[in-house]
Structure formats: C-alpha cells, structure tokens
Amino acid sequence: MAEARPPRRRGRTTLLIAAAAVLGVVAGTCAGYLVQADRDPTPLPSLSQPTLAQAKGDGPEPLSAAQDRRVKTDGDLRKLLVKKPAGTKKAVWLSSVDGWLSLPAYADTYVKPGAAFGDAVSDEFRRAVSTGWTKGQADFEVRLVQFRQEEVLAASEVTSGNQSWAADESATRSWALPGTEDGMVYVHDKPRTKPGYLPQYYAEAYAWRGDVAVMVWIYDTKPIPKKSIMDLTKRQMERL
C-alpha cells in the first residue's frame, strides 16, 4: 500500500498571485469612485404634479326645498301640517302640546299603549306632530309621524299596519289615494254607538312619503262623504 503523501505547502508564487488579485479589486473600486466623483450629479425627477386645469364658473346651486324634500322634513315638522280651515274651532281634545306629540302621548292614542310604545321604539320613532279642529258636530285630526329609518322603512310599515286595521272594520268602503304609492282612504258606514251618546261615524286615511307617515281622521254624528276625507288627505300630502 502506498504511503500517503503529506499536504503540499503553499509556495511563494501562490501568495503573490492572491495579493495581486486583491490589489486589482481595490484599484478598480477606487477608480470607479474617482470617475463618479468627476461627473456632474444626475438631477432627480420633480416630485410635484402638473397643475390641473380648473373648471370656470360658479358651482351648482344647492337644491331647493321643492327639489330636496329633506330640507322640509328636517325643519319644523309642524309647518308641514295642513292649515286649520277658516270658520272652524281649534280642537281641545288633541293629545299634542303646541303641536308636538311626545312618544308616550303618541303611544297612548292606541288601544294598547304599552305595546304601541314598544313598537314605536323598535320602529325608530323620531318625532310626531298633530293638528285638529271642530266644525259643527264634526271633529278632524291630522297627524305626521317621522321615523329615523336607519334600519327599517318604518313609515311604510306603520302605514300598512294601520291600513290593515282599518280594512278589517265592517261596512267599510276604501279607495286608493291618488299621487301616493299605496295611500288609502276608508269610510266606515256603520257608526259606533254607546248608550247616552249620539252615534259616531268616522273615516280615516293613511299614507306615507319618505320618512313621514300621514294619518287623517274625521268623526261626525252623520255619515261622512268620501270627498271630505279624500280632499283633506290630498291637501296634506301636497304639503310634503
């Protein structure tokens, strides 16, 4: 078996070659720095954007109340109520105070105030106003109920619920309210009777526009013509 050879020692020539290579790299790097130092600096691109041409003339005018109904309904809601006709007396039986109907007072106008209060809270009740008057033996009331409508379209839903109750009454005639999506007018031909009191006929109407539900009632000791409830409700809807 051949004897293993000891590792060969590096000679002087190898060390000289390695040193020359290192010096070459250093010299090249220095030469590069010198060349770059002699050159003029390259300008950077501008960071500013080109100026955009601006449109001339005045901006668009804000929508008027006639074009943007929120201008109306976000103001004093009482101003949207139909005006009391001349020759009539202000109703003393209204639940509203100075035209405003509080949530408890609004709920108290229903047969089950507790349930009505809870429903109004769920429906995101915002505020309500009402007006009314008396002419002879007839009483009139108009009510506007506004909802926040962040989660549900409460004005439409409340109107639909009231319409269902009105339609369930016996001896009832009904008509669609022109100019509304699903407004309805009801005339009840069978009076309510109570011992010691005159018979009470009544008519009612329900409609909505945007976030406002419209409710109208007429009570009288004699049958109520369709024209009376229809005309009053139309006049109220025109104000919205």
Side-chain angles (χ1 to χ4, degrees), residues 140-156:
F140 303 77
E141 182 178 359
V142 179
R143 184 183 303 171
L144 305 179
V145 186
Q146 189 174 34
F147 301 89
R148 300 188 185 281
Q149 298 204 147
E150 296 176 357
E151 300 294 337
V152 294
L153 298 177
S156 173

Side-chain angles (χ1 to χ4, degrees), residues 56-167:
K56 297 181 179 180
D58 298 332
E61 293 292 333
L63 294 177
S64 65
Q67 297 169 308
D68 185 357
R69 60 173 308 277
R70 290 299 298 269
V71 175
K72 289 183 177 181
T73 58
D74 280 346
D76 190 340
L77 202 60
R78 296 173 299 177
K79 294 181 179 180
L80 298 183
L81 286 167
V82 67
K83 300 300 182 183
K84 182 173 71 71
T88 62
K89 297 179 180 179
K90 182 179 179 180
V92 297
W93 37 264
L94 285 175
S95 300
S96 57
V97 177
D98 196 24
W100 293 104
L101 193 62
S102 67
L103 176 54
Y106 167 71
D108 197 48
T109 63
Y110 286 84
V111 177
K112 297 180 179 179
F117 186 95
D119 289 343
V121 172
S122 299
D123 291 334
E124 301 174 314
F125 175 93
R126 179 180 176 186
R127 54 186 180 165
V129 294
S130 69
T131 185
W133 56 88
T134 298
K135 184 177 181 180
Q137 296 294 324
D139 292 327
F140 303 77
E141 182 178 359
V142 179
R143 184 183 303 171
L144 305 179
V145 186
Q146 189 174 34
F147 301 89
R148 300 188 185 281
Q149 298 204 147
E150 296 176 357
E151 300 294 337
V152 294
L153 298 177
S156 173
E157 292 186 4
V158 169
T159 297
S160 179
N162 286 333
Q163 289 173 346
S164 296
W165 298 331

